[in-house]
Amino acid sequence: MSLQTTAVPNFTSTRNACKLCSPLGACLVLRGIEGCIPLIHGSQGCSTYIRRYGISHFREPIDIASSNFVESTAIFGGKDNLFTALDNVSRSYKPAAIGVTSTCLSETIGEDVPMYLRQYEIDRAKGLRNNGGQNPAIFYASTPSYRGTHMDGFHEAVFAAVSKLVDGEKITRTESKGRINLVSGFISAEDLRELQTILGSFTTDYTLLPDYSESLDGPSWETYQKLPQGGTKPEDIKKMGEAAGTVYFGIAPGHDAGKWLEETWGVPLFRQDLPIGIENCDPFYKTLSKLSGKEIPEIWNRQRGRLIDAYIDGHKYVNSKRAIIYGEEDFVASLASFLDEIGIVPVIAATGADSQGFKKRIQGVLRNTRQEVQIADDADFVTILEMAKDLRPDFIMGHSKGLFLSRELGIPLVRCGFPIHDRIGGQRILHLGYKGTLNLFDLVCNAIMEAKQDQHDKGYTYI
Amino acid sequence: MSLQTTAVPNFTSTRNACKLCSPLGACLVLRGIEGCIPLIHGSQGCSTYIRRYGISHFREPIDIASSNFVESTAIFGGKDNLFTALDNVSRSYKPAAIGVTSTCLSETIGEDVPMYLRQYEIDRAKGLRNNGGQNPAIFYASTPSYRGTHMDGFHEAVFAAVSKLVDGEKITRTESKGRINLVSGFISAEDLRELQTILGSFTTDYTLLPDYSESLDGPSWETYQKLPQGGTKPEDIKKMGEAAGTVYFGIAPGHDAGKWLEETWGVPLFRQDLPIGIENCDPFYKTLSKLSGKEIPEIWNRQRGRLIDAYIDGHKYVNSKRAIIYGEEDFVASLASFLDEIGIVPVIAATGADSQGFKKRIQGVLRNTRQEVQIADDADFVTILEMAKDLRPDFIMGHSKGLFLSRELGIPLVRCGFPIHDRIGGQRILHLGYKGTLNLFDLVCNAIMEAKQDQHDKGYTYI
Amino acid sequence: MAEVYELPDTAEFKAEILERYPPKLAKKRAKQIIINKIENDDDVPEILANTRTIPGIITMRGCAYAGCKGVVLGPTRDILQITHGPIGCGFYSWLTRRNQTKPTTESDVNYMTYAMSTDLQEEEIIFGGEKKLRAAIDEAVALFHPRAIGIFATCPVGLIGDDVHAVARAMEEKYPDINIFGFSCEGYKGVSQSAGHHVANNKVFTDVVGLNDTFSKPGKFKFNILGEYNIGGDAFEIERIVADCGLSLHSTFSGNSTYDEFSSAHTVDLNVVMCHRSINYLAEMMEKKYGIPWFKVNFVGAEATSKSLRKIAQFYEDADLLKKTEEVIERELVEVEKVRLDVKSRCEGKTAVLYVGGSRAHHYQELLREIGITILSAGYEFAHRDDYEGRKVMPSIIVDADSRNIEELKVEADAVRYKPRLSEEKKASMEADGFAFSDYNGLMTEMPESSLVIDDCNHYELEELLDRYHPDLVCAGIKEKYVVQKRGIPMKQLHSYDYMGPFAGYKGAINFYKEIDRLLNCSAFKFTKAPWDESPELSATYAFN
Amino acid sequence: MAEVYELPDTAEFKAEILERYPPKLAKKRAKQIIINKIENDDDVPEILANTRTIPGIITMRGCAYAGCKGVVLGPTRDILQITHGPIGCGFYSWLTRRNQTKPTTESDVNYMTYAMSTDLQEEEIIFGGEKKLRAAIDEAVALFHPRAIGIFATCPVGLIGDDVHAVARAMEEKYPDINIFGFSCEGYKGVSQSAGHHVANNKVFTDVVGLNDTFSKPGKFKFNILGEYNIGGDAFEIERIVADCGLSLHSTFSGNSTYDEFSSAHTVDLNVVMCHRSINYLAEMMEKKYGIPWFKVNFVGAEATSKSLRKIAQFYEDADLLKKTEEVIERELVEVEKVRLDVKSRCEGKTAVLYVGGSRAHHYQELLREIGITILSAGYEFAHRDDYEGRKVMPSIIVDADSRNIEELKVEADAVRYKPRLSEEKKASMEADGFAFSDYNGLMTEMPESSLVIDDCNHYELEELLDRYHPDLVCAGIKEKYVVQKRGIPMKQLHSYDYMGPFAGYKGAINFYKEIDRLLNCSAFKFTKAPWDESPELSATYAFN
């Protein structure tokens, strides 16, 4: 049976969704803060599903606590469960912080979690809680699954951590020359390591948030670590108010830590798309140079040159090829820009998010194409497949859920983004910076070449 | 038509060779020395073929001069041609060095190139040559195509450069604490960059020879460079006699620069296989630590840990799988060790080189397998295919010439080594060190997973 | 069975575990961590099971929705399934289990790759989502016109006043040729996915089974397998073997299943039960309503498979069938024994722990024992007391509030279709001869003396156990996988089989032996310590107090 | 043709180039770098060609072996080819060109992926390699029993005294049903691969053509195409078009060719020549020996293709054929024109230089002109004076020592098979009507006035040219590709087509237009300069003095 059904326009239902739910995004951010444990306020299934999903991509332990609602909790409210959960997590993990996220369940029954947490903190201060003497910081992100996608949860959790931890006096900008905030968006662990290297080449004073490069892609351990090492240090988050500027990759659909830092603490905000492709990378390195007051180190010039060289070497393979891209809005916008600059037409650019600005955003980054491009927000995979039928795409770029698109259309899928659960090393894919772009460029070229080679019989081994 | 013909044992002829010719290897080394131009003494076809072949892998300009024999040269000798060529190359490129390699043609007619070169240098010193005042150093490597493979030429050229340039007084070992020589074997440009990073983390005083990381994988240029930047500096080669030790990857079939440095200059030799796999990497980092007197930097521990973690995550995909590997003796030995340690049986390990020690060498690195392994030197691809028929291999690992094996056997080819001319980025494949090993591990896992996934219909997207 | 392996210091271990819990929690967990002891052949200590997980303690359990949609209905290819709720649950349950299915013809439908959700938005949470659900059903009908549609409720559905059953009835009126039914499997129902199994099987029983008296398959000895979910193709292997014996497998609940098979499942002679936990009530209800006897089988393990085949053959009392069954067993065991003995030579004496589901932690002990591996500890994620102690304790199980939320169906003999397959006398005489019906002796009677039985084992307990007893192998789920492997211990997923398999039947046994051999003899683990690393960091340890 | 494009300062450019050479070299190159000038329609300046390359100057040329084995015999699928020599040459010529071939049935042999070599070792260099060659032939026969075997000599073969022809004769006696022949194509023969083409075609003429009088293909108007090597499937496209016109293409030398087609090639009515350089002598010899007339055609470029089709149709003087030909042309030009005009709108006014082979530097000017691109400079790698100046200069070409080394065959009319296809009178009358036979006017007559024609252009000259004139496009080979692209100029390989194609015929023209459009409008080049980079390094420049 083929999934290519007769098109029924404007579907109400979502068929093979192209988005995940909000608490998942929040949990990833929380796992990227040192010593922080996520706690989902809702049914234990949420925690189990989200752990299961994250684990299938990262192949690492992902501990996420839950307040374990049962039917009576759903009826009578979850405060006691939440308090018990906070106690147990505090005692057993001795965490530096607990990030609480809501669910559709707790939001539907109207739980006032901020109020609960204030009360918990008061009780705790009074010594009324059985918390083993542990007093982790507690952030709260409101992340009902029925509002937005995992990216809403992601940005919301960033905001929760920043707005909770940043303190201190407002400072004058000149004092802070050199300190850089980077809000990294939803990227791979390898991307985070590359960002560390890039940032480190400009300054040692930076806050990269979140940073799950070690906590979700760590080494094997000789002895088990209950809370994996790594993550943005809470004390570095605290310092974000003092920075010379915040580079913020992507757009926060709800609360925006970048804007908040600018408005509340006067930290200038430099928002840009994820640095994939020359057009998105050049401004990034330039901003870092500006904020740090340091010239762009030679290594990035060399990488940039090698990338251009590859663009030129490979342009004959990619030029005029047609791609389908999908995924998070921020990711798709960056991919679209990258593909456009190497001469590929993203004939479909789709996101599962319900986003009014998406179409204009994508159109804005397509500087070169002369062809029509289908841009769809609130899209699901069945819709994408239906759209793709007459567009003769050459390949697909996105996460593992595109496999069935790839099979139905008979074209290769270049796996990137999240989730990647049918290959190993998804967390180690480098997408960002000149080097990451080169990696994606090689993957795209080689997927196209392989498809071409596979169509030929003998006599076709140089391409 | 299938190439799977009836097996005829002990073929005299070579059918789809698994080796390249000696001058090619020499030319690659010479392109990895700063300011050095290779000059092939023979027919212009050799230079053209070798350039063409190198270019198809590296996708960079590869200038190789020739003494352009015609029929009369073959009869009356090539001295005049060689002298003219040396003059023209000296004048036009102003090189720091010219590396002369022989060919089957010049060797067959018995050209005494060393004698010619002595005479040329005398003439040049007397001002008798039309060399535009340029006096590049001249090395000579004897590389007849009928003796050995491209690896003979490779190691021969390393020896030629080292033995020509190293001078100075013998020194006592204690004085040289910290300086490291690394003879890198035939590896990718990305490997060389990784080795620079690794060496640089231990000491700034090292000689990495050859180093074509920039000269054969450079950035795009705003203005054309006749002699690409990069390469081992001749002055660093000169200092190789002063080092605390020479790490030499692989085995030189003929002249051995490592041995020569040890015997002539007292530089201790640390020979080991290419650092692919834990078993080959650990000794490398340890030797560097020992020679530099510096502890192993934390970054390598983290990479090692991440590699082990991946081994464990991926062992279920690779364990007991069966591979065919082929290529240069040094490369195959390292791959065999790597595959063995991750539980893969290299059911065929083959090299085109005629090497008595090959079988024992491979057996030596297979520490874990309980199964029989076919080890073949002097092998060609048709023979490998015939051997493979009943061995149920799961995948193939090696350069692009294995494509037809892959097609005949219906199993994936994991491209690595040289030449890779049916994909882009062959020069950027990282094979070495913990990070390179992780890269190969991911490639192997994913090739196996992809093949498995392709065999299944729907319902099989997590693996 | 029940070899004695003196797991040392279990009492001390248990005490230490409990010591670090707060008193109330310690008291509860004390009843869920049991040191096994078998008396009088099948008397075992009482265990507390099917009870709430403590908030903030990281459990291995899932929710009712996961049990209903993911586990039970998931493997059915031609019932179109619609998740009613926000997008998360529908996405996470989209092909996450490695259920395989084999449509018999090219035109057979297969909705397993299709994940349909009403994707509720804030607006519907406020104003109600039934309209959207009806629209989704309209769309599903327009697209596929399926035989049947199942609607699965997620957490907020009941709370916002949506009635999936009312919608199902209304839409059935609109589309009279389509069987439409809803599942009240909100995630907070019950204490684990077990609740979801129950919701699922109840609905399949009331709304599907018994509707079709005509659909049939060729063959003489017709039976159903209940509680076999075709993970890794297990059902295919079982189908292969029973067919070779001359049996006719009518319907598998629910591996590789179809709507026709479900709706005509009441026409067979016999039900055999694989996973007691998830489905024993369905067997009971079918016996009551249709007169089909049932007994427990186990196709995991070569010996268990042979035993199960023989029992089925005995049930039919047919000489040919008995003969063919013996032939199949003899034929299959040749290769099984060859591999088993080879693998055993390398695995003998190794130790394992299993924390899985509601029957696999029991079944897989068979396979492990066959290659000489000793079980140190085992437990279920979501089982009830009877799964540990055997069905004889069922009358004494106290039904608590959480269980009461799951409807207990009142079943009576069907006026038309009730037909006892065995007379009372016949059944009694067979039982007198030692032929057990409606049987299950539970996990503990087959566990080694003094081994640890832990219900709803959590991360803390698992980690302590690993640190104390260093088992050579852990069998659990993906959430535990990397916790275990990070400490250098091989781990086998027994929910998804690590997307390998089959592990059931004879070929499955061979696969499993080899897989365990590979795991236990994998060299990757030996590299954990760098040769220059002499002072490993000390690990943090849990402390609840 | 011959539009005037005043390439500025060519004389100054030439003077500067030569200035930096040593005097002897400058004198020679002065005769090879020509500023084009066309008088009396087809009088062009004399150029020095087919002369030795100077040692140490990096040439684009290959060797005789490459021309013989790689270019001419390479595309033939059923002549088993053995390289006699050390391993390098055999390896490098293994499927390096993108020759395509289409076996007509599953059982048809195709040896193109098979690279057989005697892999000579030091021992054979000392003691002779004939024994090993004989063994290789035995093996080839045992493996495949091919119709024909070709032996290709590499550099050392003649020098060590091996006689490939003697071995071929001896082995032919051993295997009387196999046609075995050797090629003396040692790499140092001649001054370029042109020598190899000659060696190859001579041997095919003496040892293959004329052996088979019976093999034939259906159709009325039989002809051969000479000098078409099926790069990128060019021959397939030509086959498609001529078949549509109603012509019967018998044999292509040597794209997509077979032994049967070669050996019966003497049975056709007409030879048409694509690559004049590599094969004009074969056309001449076939005319002398078998009476087959020939003329030059060109299927590269839409206009050239139409012209060539019309000329062939005219040759046959058949009304139906003429009509069908016009229909085909009309039909094909619809799409061609659509794409051409679109592409031209973006490419008009751009400039190109071409240094390729022995005819492509000429043919591809047609295609480039069709989309409005002006040729600044062109030249051949391995052509002779007639390829530049036209066949009328052939009598005046002085045969030097290097050319004399390549056997010039003495050909006489075949006693049995000579059959003039046209009477002397008929031919004369057609020629009087302007129908040219045995014609080729050369590259220079069609180049723009004052453009630069450079024979055996080397890297130094190419780079200077690029720096001076900044063409928008370079067409050459892979060795030049990255030299050109490193400076940010798009480069099209015309030896291998960058493994694209076809570029011949109508569909090929469309492909080529689009490809050039892509190249010239590729955005990658614009990034060369980083936005923060304000002081690029100065480049080194060549200096010969």
Side-chain angles (χ1 to χ4, degrees), chain A residues 18 324-326 348 350-351 376 379-389 405 409:
Chain A
C18 186
I324 296 176
I325 52 178
Y326 56 80
I348 298 178
T351 184
D380 60 30
F381 280 104
V382 177
T383 309
I384 294 172
L385 179 60
E386 281 160 5
M387 287 164 69
K389 272 190 231 169
L405 276 186
L409 298 168

Side-chain angles (χ1 to χ4, degrees), chain A residues 1 3 5-6 8 10-21 24 43-45 48-53 55-56 59-61 63-72 74 81 84-85 88-89 91-94 104-105 108-109 130 132 145-148 218-226 229 378 381-382 386 401 404 419, chain C residues 22 25 52-59 61-63 65-66 86-88 91-96 106 108-111 113-117 119-122 125 132 135-136 139 143-144 155-156 159-160 187-192 402 405 459 463 478-479 482-483 486-487 499 528-529 533 536-545:
Chain A
M1 188 197 66
L3 283 180
T5 54
T6 324
V8 178
N10 298 322
F11 262 69
T12 301
S13 58
T14 295
R15 302 162 300 153
N16 297 356
C18 186
K19 59 180 174 182
L20 291 88
C21 77
L24 179 133
S43 160
Q44 72 204 14
T48 297
Y49 267 142
I50 288 170
R51 291 172 64 205
R52 190 233 161 287
Y53 230 81
I55 290 169
S56 75
R59 297 172 192 258
E60 293 279 314
D63 286 3
I64 297 172
S66 167
S67 58
N68 300 64
F69 274 47
V70 292
E71 188 142 15
S72 54
N81 279 47
T84 308
N88 279 330
V89 170
R91 273 203 323 275
S92 61
Y93 283 91
K94 303 192 200 313
C104 49
L105 172 51
T108 297
I109 63 172
N130 187 2
S145 182
Y146 52 73
R147 195 190 302 141
S220 63
W221 300 330
E222 287 181 54
T223 35
Y224 190 77
Q225 301 167 15
K226 218 149 28 74
Q229 297 181 327
D378 199 13
F381 280 104
V382 177
E386 281 160 5
K401 289 295 183 196
F404 293 104
Chain C
L25 178 49
R52 292 184 190 174
T53 298
I54 307 299
I57 302 295
I58 295 182
T59 174
R61 286 174 166 176
C63 67
Y65 170 85
I87 197 60
F91 188 93
Y92 300 128
S93 62
W94 174 18
L95 263 188
T96 51
E106 264 298 305
D108 274 6
V109 296
N110 179 6
Y111 307 128
T113 59
Y114 203 77
M116 198 164 188
S117 168
D119 191 4
L120 292 183
Q121 299 297 308
E122 191 143 24
I125 296 296
K132 202 169 186 184
E139 288 166 358
L143 285 168
F144 300 115
C155 284
L159 301 168
I160 63 173
Y188 54 77
K189 290 276 176 75
V191 303
S192 72
D402 293 320
N405 293 329
H459 270 205
E463 290 167 23
I478 189 173
K479 299 183 301 299
Y482 299 97
V483 174
K486 275 282 182 199
R487 355 165 76 79
Y499 303 89
T528 311
K529 198 174 154 75
D533 191 359
E537 290 157 44
L538 287 176
S539 73
T541 51
Y542 277 92
F544 280 81
N545 282 309

Side-chain angles (χ1 to χ4, degrees), chain C residues 46 48 70 163 180 184 298 306 348 418 434 448 473 478 507 509 528:
Chain C
E46 182 176 332
L48 178 65
D163 182 341
I180 305 176
S184 288
N298 177 17
S306 302
E348 181 102 58
Y418 181 78
L473 177 71
I478 189 173
K507 288 194 181 163
T528 311

Side-chain angles (χ1 to χ4, degrees), chain D residues 34-39 43-45 444 447-451:
Chain D
I34 303 299
I35 299 159
N36 199 29
K37 187 159 190 62
I38 306 161
E39 292 170 313
D43 281 355
V44 289
M444 290 164 84
M447 291 267 297
E449 189 83 22
S450 95
S451 61

Side-chain angles (χ1 to χ4, degrees), chain B residues 15-16 54 67 71 77 93 139 157 176 229 232 259-260 313 325 328 333 378 391 444 451:
Chain B
R15 300 161 303 151
N16 297 358
S67 59
E71 187 141 16
Y93 283 90
F139 335 126
S176 65
Q229 296 180 328
T232 314
K259 250 190 230 162
W260 184 84
D313 290 356
I325 51 177
E328 294 103 21
D378 198 14
L391 294 176
V444 166

